[in-house]
């Protein structure tokens, strides 16, 4: 391994520890729940989930879990989209 890649690996390790360097503004993910798998999105500050609970309540455990996992890297607190 050459010295330039070693430097990049060290830099990546440091960056990974400094989570305030990253602000997530959009995200598409597949969330494996207890009963099914759902597409969860964050776009322009709005959360959307395909699950039935989100469609009736505008919030769900899948979104709340992702918010907890990513809290340090999310831009200002994203809001959930209105249920349809």
């Amino acid at each position: 391994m050459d010295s330039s890649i070693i430097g990049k690996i060290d830099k990546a390790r440091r960056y990974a520890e400094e989570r305030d360097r990253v602000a997530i503004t959009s995200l598409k993910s597949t969330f494996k729940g207890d009963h099914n798998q759902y597409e969860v999105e964050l776009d322009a500050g709005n959360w959307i989930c395909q699950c039935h609970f989100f469609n009736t309540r505008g919030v769900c455990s899948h979104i709340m879990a992702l918010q907890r996992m990513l809290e340090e890297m999310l831009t200002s607190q994203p809001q959930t989209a209105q249920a349809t």
Side-chain angles (χ1 to χ4, degrees), residues 25-67:
T25 57
S26 66
L27 171 76
K28 286 187 177 188
S29 62
T30 302
F31 197 107
K32 294 178 184 175
D34 288 340
H35 306 289
N36 213 335
Q37 185 168 292
Y38 304 102
E39 297 300 315
V40 181
E41 282 186 59
L42 171 64
D43 187 32
N46 293 306
W47 285 99
I48 301 168
C49 183
Q50 291 180 333
C51 76
H52 176 70
F53 195 87
F54 176 81
N55 284 329
T56 59
R57 302 285 179 99
V59 69
C60 66
S61 58
H62 314 110
I63 289 172
M64 289 187 275
L66 281 170
Q67 287 173 327

Side-chain angles (χ1 to χ4, degrees), residues 15-16 18-25 70 72-75:
Y15 281 173
E18 299 171 3
R19 294 182 184 209
D20 60 328
R21 289 181 173 271
V22 177
I24 296 172
T25 57
L70 303 171
E72 294 174 15
M73 293 180 281
L74 293 172
T75 57

